[in-house]
Amino acid sequence: MYLEKIESPSDLKQLNAEERGILASEMRNALLEKISVCGGHFGPNFGIVEATIALHYVFDSPEDRIVFDVSHQSYCHKMLTGRKDAYLDPAKYNDVTGYTCPEESEHDIFNVGHTSTSVSLACGLAKARDLMGGTENVIAVIGDGALSGGEALEGLDFAWELHSNLIIIVNDNGMSISDNYGGLYQNLKTLRESNGKAECNIFRSLGFDYCYLKEGNDVEKLIEVFQKVKDIDHPIIVHINTVKGKGYVFAEEDQENYHWKPPFDIETGKNKRTFTNENYDDIVCDFLLDKMKKDKTVVAMAAGVPLTIGFHAEKRKAAGKQFVDVGIAEEHAVAMAAGIAKRGGKPVFATHSSFFQRTYDQISQELCINRCPATLLVRNASVWGMNDVTHLGIFDIPLLSNIPNLVYLGPTNKQEYLAMLEWSIEQQDHPVAIRIPRNGVHYAKDPVDLDYSNLNQYKLCERGSKIAILALGDFFQLGEETSALLEQESGIKPTLVNPRYITGIDVDFLRGLEQEHTIVVTLEDGILSGGFGEKIAAFYGTSGMRVLNYGLKKEFIDRFNPNDILLENRLTASQIVEDLSLLAR
Amino acid sequence: MYLEKIESPSDLKQLNAEERGILASEMRNALLEKISVCGGHFGPNFGIVEATIALHYVFDSPEDRIVFDVSHQSYCHKMLTGRKDAYLDPAKYNDVTGYTCPEESEHDIFNVGHTSTSVSLACGLAKARDLMGGTENVIAVIGDGALSGGEALEGLDFAWELHSNLIIIVNDNGMSISDNYGGLYQNLKTLRESNGKAECNIFRSLGFDYCYLKEGNDVEKLIEVFQKVKDIDHPIIVHINTVKGKGYVFAEEDQENYHWKPPFDIETGKNKRTFTNENYDDIVCDFLLDKMKKDKTVVAMAAGVPLTIGFHAEKRKAAGKQFVDVGIAEEHAVAMAAGIAKRGGKPVFATHSSFFQRTYDQISQELCINRCPATLLVRNASVWGMNDVTHLGIFDIPLLSNIPNLVYLGPTNKQEYLAMLEWSIEQQDHPVAIRIPRNGVHYAKDPVDLDYSNLNQYKLCERGSKIAILALGDFFQLGEETSALLEQESGIKPTLVNPRYITGIDVDFLRGLEQEHTIVVTLEDGILSGGFGEKIAAFYGTSGMRVLNYGLKKEFIDRFNPNDILLENRLTASQIVEDLSLLAR
């Protein structure tokens, strides 16, 4: 086995053509074995095996800088840069992250997880190199799906200005996570079909030199092309045509579901676990499809991740023109939602909490200044969300809740979520965001309100005394648990409150609490800094009320177990009760 | 005079060709007179007189929807849609805003002030129209400068998917606010030089139908082209070549300085007031130029607004390769700064507080997760900043200060600002943002620290008792004033503190205050929601300390007098002292 002997790219450089071919097979086998056990980005990595071998054969990493866009396709790169054991030895499968990570290797330049950043990052590396008199190659590897992101397009537009070495490898597999959307992809198709010869060329129109390689899964041809562009003195696009999921028949045939694949059986391609639990993705998708049938102006919108709200291929088809996937283009999605709402349509745009970070300006300017009644669904907004440092869902409360005019709602159960969504879609006064619970599907014990237009009305759930617990969103169940434990341990029955509105203070309600309470506890599933609890503390700043805010520390966390994080932040019922008993002394 | 008689576009439709020509002259005269008195966006409006006449002659606003990008070029549109008096009658000059404003007229669809949004907004209008069975035209008018923004590029990429009426007028005057940057502008040049015939065409590469008009300041030719595309059944680009500042010789010759022109003398073109006061733009520019001379790795960066940090044409020339203007592309700028820092360069990127809203994700992901030691200078971050609703500088504290790893500094005077900047440029551990004071150039009374690497150390400025005033950034002077007044009126000499670090809590210092103080006052020049003061209130949540937060309400405000806003928010020394005396009772 050649892969076993590769400790660094210099070992790869010793192999001949035949051996490189065998290496590619070995790498695919390793990928297959590991992903079948751990899950992972299947398609992107299977497609880029040969290109990665050729890159490390031709260029001299880490002196030459290779920046992987999104970096979910860097598994092969990791194998060839000293981390093969994490793909060969099941005991070491967890030694590496799923993205480039400078803490792991000098061959990884950046922690990257969001799309469309590689060209700009590479422009910076090249600019600094030129100022400092360096001579290395700077290479960005970007997939076609990431090209539609505004940051990538800004970078591609700017790159011409460098007038020095910059090699951008466009790994074109004709496929984003889901389908590709937008005119740009027609041009890539035209370029593929003309073997790169078409005169009308998006890259050349941006000032780039350009070359095309049809055989993007042929190591030797890739080496030839990379050798030609190595040490080039100006920016160039190397457009290579690869096959997503190449080499595993099930993946080639079902590219969408093999983009990220959970653990599966290698023989059949079937997932090892099937999830039959009720979940909010399916619930909201079915709810929206039903709304659409009754109302032609309802539009569900996604930006490259339609499964965020359960829109599998067949459901997209069912929605027809009432479903729009704009591709990876979150800024456009929010602004377009503003336009739809302004013209009387009813847009519902969903994406991950972490990806809403791209849209602050559009939410503030296009939606909120203009009071366009669009609905935003914020998914994975939780300590139980994604646990890669680049995909954390714990920052959206400070991000969104401080924007004027936005109504950010935190439902605590299924009925409340759907009631809020129904209200939001039908009302015409506010841009509304809804933080989808992430702690499983809970059911309402009491009837939920249907009308949320009287803003910032907190809901009293259990009346008690001395201590009031304001338990926001999917930490409501933690509030219930804490409440029960407190009563059990201390005999104090606290008041339990569902604030519902993340974006506002219920002044009368909070003043009312002062009558029979001396302590207010806030619980929120996100960082405390800039969040909900601090506003409550500030409200009571000059009163005698004591306020304890529970939530997460302001820090980036990576590959964590949510339970550990909850413990660290004293976010368990028993810890909270303990804190309260100390305070009460 | 024809202009006087135009109450709506239907009046314009009655004019013949000769009369339309005269109207154009009248509109230019009105623009000249008004801008010479009030200041305003000179060049963009002078360039688009004819196109606006042609638009309203051919299309039927408000049924047909016209969306102006940035909308700083909508003065002519306002003249033709019932608001001529605001341009003809000096007594009514202030009746209209400088941007489209739905509150003024049904012909204005959105409040717009940031660039690059029109295509996405128009896509939304068109999508809703199609779902609702409408038949109107949707027109986006976008200048060449705005094309480099990621949101515009995302919109242009997506538009093809609509397959229905969408007319995008690219008003190409070969000039952004400053020069245009990026490969795209080479393509526009090629298109202009080939009379639109060049095969390699950025718009066609994105799937657009396309037509070109060389004579973009010829009303009759514009009418002809617009009539051809009216009611078209698919997206089309109408690329028109106009002259920025057309018709006023000084403006045509000095397009950068006439982009936005302060009040000036019509005969000579000279500004009526010259500002000779010391200002931070020139101070920081000279500081950076000096740094650059000594250190080839220092890079000043701008995104379309180089004057933000004083980089006039001659200073850009002096900086040479150490100055980079990426054009309107803030996301790219921040990511590129991360790349520069990672490779050992020393990037300093400056833009307006309001424009940083485009970069949250890049600051969080590329800069902060990766701990790239870049410096961000946040300008106009203040109640004394720009006062259009779309350009407010009062939201950056919640936006930036809740991002982990970022060090956000609030200097209180010139020496402190430059010391912080010097430290930031030279240190290698943190991404740093600096909030440039906006209340004039103040001087330090005591020596300032040169090293800020021991994070979150608040500075005790005056030791007093009972009340401690934490006066952040350019509200420090308000803190001094309040402190003096309080001592004078009540005999209590309060403790005065310069927190310096917006992003952190000085735990020991705050605990220390509990010894001799019962009240802590916080002052910050921005909204309270998600900001600095709330963190102090939360810190003292369970203690006996009473905390009063002073800052602005979370709301969008428009065309305000800062003094009114300060009064409304009780942000004067006398109001604060009054509040304190009530509290002390």
Side-chain angles (χ1 to χ4, degrees):
Chain A
M1 197 189 229
Y2 295 103
L3 182 54
E4 280 179 347
K5 293 174 195 134
I6 293 183
E7 299 294 342
S8 81
S10 61
D11 297 322
L12 165 68
K13 290 180 205 285
Q14 310 307 317
L15 304 186
N16 63 33
E18 193 193 348
E19 293 164 339
R20 288 190 290 265
I22 298 167
L23 175 65
S25 301
E26 292 173 1
M27 289 168 68
R28 274 208 176 79
N29 284 337
L31 286 175
L32 188 64
E33 291 289 343
K34 177 168 177 179
I35 300 177
S36 76
V37 172
C38 305
H41 282 101
F42 193 107
N45 283 291
F46 270 67
I48 205 169
V49 172
E50 289 80 9
T52 311
I53 294 173
L55 271 173
H56 281 296
Y57 183 80
V58 173
F59 295 102
D60 303 307
S61 176
E63 181 57 22
D64 289 332
R65 264 74 168 179
I66 307 172
V67 182
F68 289 91
D69 204 277
V70 200
S71 84
H72 61 317
Q73 81 289 53
S74 63
Y75 299 4
C76 303
H77 160 78
K78 292 195 177 192
M79 285 187 207
L80 300 178
T81 52
R83 288 165 282 181
K84 59 177 171 47
D85 292 342
Y87 298 86
L88 292 170
D89 179 356
K92 296 185 174 172
Y93 276 169
N94 286 321
D95 284 5
V96 295
T97 71
Y99 300 91
T100 53
C101 178
E103 292 76 21
E104 277 176 18
S105 166
E106 60 180 350
H107 294 276
D108 294 6
I109 322 286
F110 298 98
N111 280 294
V112 180
H114 284 197
T115 72
S116 315
T117 71
S118 62
V119 178
S120 298
L121 291 170
C123 283
L125 294 174
K127 178 74 191 177
R129 171 202 63 203
D130 295 345
L131 289 174
M132 300 173 85
T135 57
E136 75 271 16
N137 288 274
V138 175
I139 303 120
V141 181
I142 183 167
D144 48 351
L147 287 178
S148 61
E151 190 174 350
L153 292 165
E154 289 182 354
L156 288 169
D157 176 43
F158 176 81
W160 176 84
E161 296 281 344
L162 285 173
H163 302 295
S164 70
N165 175 282
L166 176 67
I167 298 162
I168 298 171
I169 297 171
V170 174
N171 172 28
D172 177 8
N173 55 36
M175 182 88 186
S176 183
I177 298 174
S178 170
D179 297 326
N180 275 324
Y181 293 93
L184 164 55
Y185 296 101
Q186 301 309 306
N187 191 242
L188 292 184
K189 187 159 171 269
T190 303
L191 289 169
R192 290 196 302 270
E193 287 170 359
S194 65
N195 204 25
K197 299 280 188 282
E199 284 285 331
C200 189
N201 176 320
I202 176 82
F203 304 111
R204 288 196 189 276
S205 80
L206 293 169
F208 281 99
D209 192 2
Y210 169 89
C211 67
Y212 178 76
L213 179 69
K214 187 180 171 183
E215 301 87 354
N217 290 103
D218 181 326
V219 180
E220 302 313 309
K221 292 206 169 164
L222 285 159
I223 287 176
E224 207 176 300
V225 172
F226 293 164
Q227 277 171 337
K228 269 188 205 155
V229 300
K230 187 177 181 181
D231 299 325
I232 197 166
D233 66 356
H234 59 270
I236 187 167
I237 298 281
V238 181
H239 179 184
I240 65 175
N241 184 14
T242 63
V243 177
K244 193 164 183 173
K246 172 82 177 177
Y248 183 65
V249 63
F250 299 117
E252 289 190 38
E253 282 171 1
D254 183 6
Q255 296 184 325
E256 179 168 347
N257 284 314
Y258 275 85
H259 172 77
W260 194 92
K261 184 74 176 167
F264 64 99
D265 178 78
I266 292 177
E267 291 304 311
T268 63
K270 286 191 180 154
N271 292 350
K272 285 181 180 161
R273 284 166 291 173
T274 48
F275 295 95
T276 51
N277 286 353
E278 200 179 15
N279 68 78
Y280 281 126
D281 299 348
D282 292 336
I283 288 170
V284 78
C285 186
D286 292 343
F287 175 87
L288 288 172
L289 283 172
D290 186 56
K291 286 286 291 178
M292 286 174 189
K293 271 189 216 154
K294 298 172 191 155
D295 184 345
K296 288 292 160 206
T297 68
V298 173
V299 192
M301 300 178 69
V305 283
L307 302 186
T308 303
I309 43 169
F311 275 89
H312 293 272
E314 67 274 19
K315 296 196 173 177
R316 298 199 291 268
K317 203 175 157 194
K321 291 192 171 181
Q322 289 176 267
F323 176 81
V324 179
D325 185 343
V326 302
I328 292 170
E330 291 85 2
E331 297 181 274
H332 169 72
V334 170
M336 184 170 163
I340 291 173
K342 183 61 89 169
R343 180 60 178 79
K346 297 169 180 171
V348 179
F349 170 60
T351 196
H352 295 295
S353 163
S354 183
F355 299 163
F356 272 107
Q357 295 179 179
R358 288 260 165 99
T359 66
Y360 178 95
D361 194 53
Q362 290 71 32
I363 293 175
S364 172
Q365 298 269 317
E366 282 94 286
L367 279 189
C368 289
I369 288 178
N370 286 285
R371 292 183 181 276
C372 292
T375 303
L376 308 175
L377 297 181
V378 186
R379 189 176 184 272
N380 267 327
S382 169
V383 66
W384 297 293
M386 290 186 275
N387 75 351
D388 296 297
V389 66
T390 48
H391 289 71
L392 300 173
I394 59 176
F395 302 117
D396 54 278
I397 293 182
L399 184 79
L400 300 178
S401 73
N402 301 309
I403 301 176
N405 295 354
L406 187 71
V407 177
Y408 196 14
L409 299 172
T412 63
N413 59 56
K414 176 179 168 179
Q415 286 84 354
E416 195 171 42
Y417 175 23
L418 295 182
M420 286 172 171
L421 178 55
E422 171 73 23
W423 169 77
S424 175
I425 291 172
E426 295 301 333
Q427 58 83 38
Q428 293 296 310
D429 300 319
H430 313 282
V432 175
I434 302 176
R435 203 164 196 252
I436 307 172
R438 196 67 186 80
N439 62 339
V441 176
H442 292 268
Y443 281 75
K445 291 167 185 164
D446 304 304
V448 299
D449 287 343
L450 302 179
D451 182 0
Y452 294 86
S453 51
N454 195 0
L455 299 182
N456 305 330
Q457 304 292 302
Y458 296 175
K459 185 177 181 182
L460 179 69
C461 298
E462 288 179 47
R463 184 180 296 277
S465 64
K466 292 186 182 162
I467 296 172
I469 300 174
L470 274 55
L472 190 68
D474 64 11
F475 269 13
F476 183 76
Q477 283 75 27
L478 173 63
E480 288 183 315
E481 204 188 326
T482 303
S483 179
L485 187 64
L486 188 67
E487 190 172 358
Q488 183 190 316
E489 301 229 330
S490 69
I492 298 170
K493 178 179 162 59
T495 293
L496 181 64
V497 181
N498 171 7
R500 308 190 294 187
Y501 298 85
I502 311 178
T503 27
I505 291 288
D506 189 339
V507 173
D508 292 341
F509 186 90
L510 293 180
R511 279 283 160 253
L513 287 181
E514 288 175 327
Q515 307 289 320
E516 296 184 17
H517 303 77
T518 56
I519 296 175
V520 166
V521 173
T522 67
L523 307 178
E524 64 197 296
D525 186 3
I527 62 165
L528 287 169
S529 181
F532 176 77
E534 290 182 351
K535 290 173 181 58
I536 304 297
F539 175 85
Y540 287 121
T542 56
S543 83
M545 186 75 85
R546 285 189 284 181
V547 180
L548 273 107
N549 296 146
Y550 286 89
L552 275 63
K553 279 195 295 286
K554 181 180 77 168
E555 63 179 351
F556 292 116
I557 44 182
D558 199 9
R559 299 204 303 160
F560 53 87
N561 180 325
N563 288 333
D564 296 341
I565 299 298
L566 292 171
L567 267 173
E568 263 179 54
N569 289 283
R570 303 194 64 75
L571 279 164
T572 65
S574 57
Q575 288 171 311
I576 298 169
V577 169
E578 188 184 325
D579 293 346
L580 285 169
S581 68
L582 283 173
L583 193 66
R585 267 181 213 165
Chain B
M1 197 189 229
Y2 295 104
L3 182 54
E4 278 178 347
K5 293 172 197 137
I6 293 182
E7 299 295 341
S8 81
S10 61
D11 297 322
L12 166 67
K13 290 180 205 286
Q14 310 307 317
L15 303 186
N16 64 32
E18 194 194 346
E19 293 164 339
R20 289 191 289 266
I22 298 169
L23 176 65
S25 299
E26 291 174 1
M27 289 168 68
R28 277 212 172 79
N29 283 337
L31 286 174
L32 188 63
E33 291 289 342
K34 177 169 177 179
I35 300 176
S36 77
V37 172
C38 305
H41 282 101
F42 193 107
N45 284 292
F46 270 66
I48 204 169
V49 172
E50 289 80 9
T52 311
I53 294 173
L55 271 174
H56 281 295
Y57 183 80
V58 173
F59 296 101
D60 302 308
S61 175
E63 182 57 25
D64 288 332
R65 265 74 167 177
I66 308 173
V67 182
F68 289 91
D69 205 278
V70 201
S71 83
H72 62 316
Q73 80 290 52
S74 62
Y75 299 3
C76 303
H77 161 77
K78 293 196 177 193
M79 284 187 208
L80 300 178
T81 52
R83 288 165 282 179
K84 60 177 169 49
D85 292 344
Y87 298 86
L88 291 171
D89 179 355
K92 297 184 174 173
Y93 277 170
N94 286 322
D95 285 5
V96 295
T97 71
Y99 300 91
T100 53
C101 177
E103 292 77 18
E104 276 175 19
S105 167
E106 59 180 350
H107 295 275
D108 294 7
I109 323 286
F110 297 98
N111 280 293
V112 179
H114 284 196
T115 72
S116 313
T117 71
S118 62
V119 178
S120 299
L121 291 171
C123 283
L125 294 174
K127 177 75 190 175
R129 173 202 60 203
D130 296 345
L131 289 173
M132 302 175 84
T135 57
E136 75 272 17
N137 289 274
V138 175
I139 303 120
V141 180
I142 183 165
D144 47 351
L147 287 178
S148 60
E151 191 175 350
L153 293 164
E154 288 182 354
L156 288 169
D157 175 43
F158 176 82
W160 177 84
E161 297 280 345
L162 285 174
H163 303 295
S164 70
N165 175 282
L166 177 67
I167 298 162
I168 298 172
I169 297 170
V170 174
N171 172 28
D172 177 9
N173 56 36
M175 181 90 189
S176 182
I177 297 174
S178 172
D179 297 326
N180 276 323
Y181 293 94
L184 163 56
Y185 295 101
Q186 301 308 306
N187 191 243
L188 292 185
K189 187 159 173 269
T190 303
L191 289 169
R192 290 196 301 270
E193 287 170 357
S194 65
N195 204 24
K197 300 280 188 281
E199 284 285 330
C200 189
N201 176 322
I202 175 83
F203 304 110
R204 288 196 189 277
S205 80
L206 293 170
F208 279 100
D209 192 2
Y210 169 88
C211 67
Y212 178 76
L213 179 69
K214 186 181 174 184
E215 300 87 355
N217 290 101
D218 182 325
V219 179
E220 302 312 308
K221 293 205 169 163
L222 286 159
I223 287 175
E224 206 175 303
V225 172
F226 293 164
Q227 277 171 338
K228 271 187 204 155
V229 299
K230 188 177 182 181
D231 299 325
I232 198 166
D233 67 355
H234 58 270
I236 186 168
I237 297 282
V238 181
H239 179 183
I240 65 174
N241 183 14
T242 63
V243 177
K244 192 165 184 173
K246 171 83 176 177
Y248 184 65
V249 62
F250 299 117
E252 289 191 36
E253 283 172 358
D254 184 6
Q255 296 184 325
E256 179 168 347
N257 284 314
Y258 275 84
H259 172 76
W260 194 93
K261 184 74 177 170
F264 64 99
D265 179 78
I266 293 177
E267 292 303 311
T268 63
K270 286 190 178 152
N271 293 348
K272 285 182 179 161
R273 283 166 293 175
T274 48
F275 295 94
T276 52
N277 285 354
E278 202 178 12
N279 68 78
Y280 281 125
D281 299 348
D282 292 336
I283 288 169
V284 77
C285 186
D286 293 343
F287 176 87
L288 288 171
L289 283 172
D290 186 58
K291 286 286 292 178
M292 287 173 188
K293 269 189 217 154
K294 296 172 191 154
D295 184 344
K296 288 292 161 206
T297 68
V298 173
V299 192
M301 300 178 70
V305 283
L307 302 185
T308 303
I309 43 168
F311 275 89
H312 292 271
E314 66 275 20
K315 294 194 174 176
R316 298 200 290 268
K317 202 174 157 194
K321 292 191 171 183
Q322 288 175 266
F323 176 81
V324 180
D325 186 342
V326 301
I328 292 169
E330 292 85 1
E331 298 180 272
H332 169 71
V334 170
M336 183 170 165
I340 290 173
K342 184 63 88 170
R343 179 60 178 80
K346 297 170 181 170
V348 179
F349 170 59
T351 195
H352 294 296
S353 163
S354 184
F355 299 164
F356 271 107
Q357 295 179 180
R358 290 260 165 99
T359 66
Y360 178 96
D361 193 53
Q362 290 70 32
I363 293 174
S364 173
Q365 297 270 317
E366 282 94 287
L367 278 188
C368 289
I369 288 178
N370 287 286
R371 293 184 182 273
C372 292
T375 303
L376 308 176
L377 297 181
V378 185
R379 190 177 183 273
N380 267 327
S382 168
V383 67
W384 296 293
M386 289 186 275
N387 76 350
D388 297 296
V389 66
T390 48
H391 290 73
L392 300 173
I394 58 177
F395 302 116
D396 54 278
I397 293 181
L399 183 79
L400 300 179
S401 73
N402 301 308
I403 302 176
N405 294 355
L406 186 70
V407 177
Y408 196 14
L409 299 172
T412 63
N413 59 55
K414 176 179 169 179
Q415 286 83 355
E416 196 172 40
Y417 175 25
L418 294 181
M420 285 172 172
L421 178 55
E422 170 74 23
W423 168 77
S424 175
I425 292 172
E426 295 300 333
Q427 58 83 37
Q428 294 297 310
D429 300 319
H430 313 282
V432 175
I434 302 176
R435 203 164 196 252
I436 306 173
R438 196 66 184 81
N439 62 338
V441 177
H442 292 269
Y443 281 75
K445 291 168 184 163
D446 304 304
V448 298
D449 286 344
L450 303 179
D451 183 359
Y452 294 85
S453 51
N454 194 0
L455 298 183
N456 304 331
Q457 304 292 301
Y458 296 175
K459 186 176 179 182
L460 178 69
C461 298
E462 286 180 50
R463 184 181 296 277
S465 64
K466 294 186 180 162
I467 296 171
I469 300 174
L470 274 55
L472 190 68
D474 64 13
F475 270 13
F476 184 75
Q477 283 75 28
L478 172 63
E480 288 184 314
E481 205 188 327
T482 303
S483 178
L485 187 65
L486 187 68
E487 188 171 359
Q488 184 190 314
E489 302 229 330
S490 69
I492 299 170
K493 179 180 160 61
T495 293
L496 181 65
V497 181
N498 170 8
R500 308 190 294 187
Y501 299 84
I502 310 177
T503 27
I505 292 288
D506 188 338
V507 173
D508 292 340
F509 186 90
L510 293 180
R511 279 283 160 253
L513 288 181
E514 289 175 327
Q515 308 288 323
E516 296 183 19
H517 302 78
T518 55
I519 296 175
V520 166
V521 173
T522 67
L523 306 178
E524 65 196 292
D525 186 4
I527 63 165
L528 286 169
S529 181
F532 176 76
E534 290 182 349
K535 291 173 180 60
I536 304 297
F539 175 84
Y540 286 121
T542 55
S543 84
M545 186 74 86
R546 287 188 285 181
V547 180
L548 273 108
N549 296 147
Y550 286 89
L552 275 61
K553 280 195 296 286
K554 180 180 77 167
E555 63 178 353
F556 292 116
I557 43 181
D558 198 10
R559 299 204 304 161
F560 53 86
N561 179 324
N563 288 334
D564 297 340
I565 299 298
L566 293 171
L567 267 173
E568 263 178 55
N569 288 284
R570 302 195 64 75
L571 279 163
T572 65
S574 58
Q575 288 170 311
I576 298 168
V577 170
E578 190 185 325
D579 292 347
L580 285 169
S581 68
L582 284 173
L583 192 67
R585 268 180 213 168

